[in-house]
Amino acid sequence: MAFAPSPIPSRTQYVLEAIKHDILTGGLSPGQPLVETELAARFGVSKTPVREALKTLAGSGLVVMSQYKGATVRMVDADMARAVYDVRLLLEPEAVRRTVAAGAALDEARDALNRAATAEDPAERSLANRDFHRALYLPCGNPLLGRMLDEVRDQAALVSTVAWATTPSWEREAAEHEEILRLAAAGDSAGAGLAVHDHIASFVERAFPEDGE
């Protein structure tokens, strides 16, 4: 008999989501220590849910656990960025192509795009952009493919947060998102997949150029 995994306790989930939000919106910087006692005091909980939340975040690639330094926000460098975006380049265009080919509803993607356009701060815009991409790849018809992209989603967002802090490119990316959605709405699965590929590739090339470029 198979057993479902135990759900994360509510306090741990609350702490996890709060820390993740701070990391993905720049409230906590790469390399910044995550001290259990300080976080426990901030959230009004014991150290146990903080410790469990940090372990989960380490599993998703946002936090690094060290025997000597404790927990820190993961650093972002060119190698890490290219590795994460390489996975996206291999999987996301095909997932979007399948979503469009299946005629999946695009309401959530359109809503996310509208939220990004009217966002009042970079954090809100970043979260809306993440929702836009997920709304396009998740209905691809292959749950495993969707989960694989979900696994790198947070790391990709961390890369974006770091890149945007030094090289803001919101307007260009917003225009690219509009074009992706236009192609998807037109039922052009090949065109939408290619546009997603070019969108992902151009971002990492601008933010983390190869030496000599």
Side-chain angles (χ1 to χ4, degrees):
M1 179 179 177
F3 293 92
S6 300
I8 298 176
S10 58
R11 288 187 178 182
T12 300
Q13 188 67 42
Y14 165 70
V15 173
L16 187 155
E17 293 300 332
I19 296 174
K20 179 192 287 189
H21 182 275
D22 283 353
I23 291 173
L24 297 183
T25 57
L28 291 169
S29 304
Q32 184 170 338
L34 298 168
V35 182
E36 290 182 10
T37 52
E38 293 178 358
L39 292 170
R42 172 186 169 186
F43 297 119
V45 298
S46 69
K47 290 198 296 183
T48 299
V50 172
R51 186 176 303 116
E52 293 305 313
L54 292 177
K55 288 180 181 177
T56 300
L57 290 168
S60 68
L62 292 181
V63 168
V64 175
M65 307 286 283
S66 168
Q67 180 179 352
Y68 303 104
K69 295 182 179 180
T72 58
V73 179
R74 183 172 183 176
M75 295 290 293
V76 173
D77 59 23
D79 288 341
M80 178 268 194
R82 293 193 193 104
V84 170
Y85 273 67
D86 186 43
V87 172
R88 290 187 67 192
L89 281 170
L90 289 169
L91 300 180
E92 192 167 336
E94 175 60 18
V96 172
R97 187 193 68 76
R98 294 185 181 195
T99 293
V100 176
L106 302 173
D107 294 346
E108 289 187 20
R110 188 171 289 106
D111 174 68
L113 204 59
N114 290 336
R115 285 190 284 113
T118 58
E120 297 182 355
D121 58 62
E124 185 180 346
R125 189 182 297 118
S126 176
L127 294 173
N129 283 344
R130 294 176 72 225
D131 289 343
F132 172 77
H133 279 273
R134 191 169 194 261
L136 286 177
Y137 71 65
L138 201 60
C140 66
N142 184 328
L144 178 58
L145 180 54
R147 286 198 298 271
M148 291 172 70
L149 282 164
D150 272 352
E151 286 184 6
V152 297
R153 182 170 177 246
D154 287 344
Q155 294 179 60
L158 179 59
V159 171
S160 298
T161 298
V162 172
W164 286 325
T166 57
T167 311
S169 54
W170 298 108
E171 292 184 1
R172 173 170 176 167
E173 287 156 46
E176 291 171 353
H177 285 171
E178 290 279 3
E179 177 63 8
I180 291 168
L181 187 58
R182 185 191 70 79
L183 291 165
D188 185 352
S189 58
L194 180 59
V196 169
H197 179 280
D198 292 347
H199 170 66
I200 294 170
S202 65
F203 177 83
V204 77
E205 287 168 3
R206 291 195 308 272
F208 300 93
E210 297 281 358
D211 292 341
E213 289 188 3

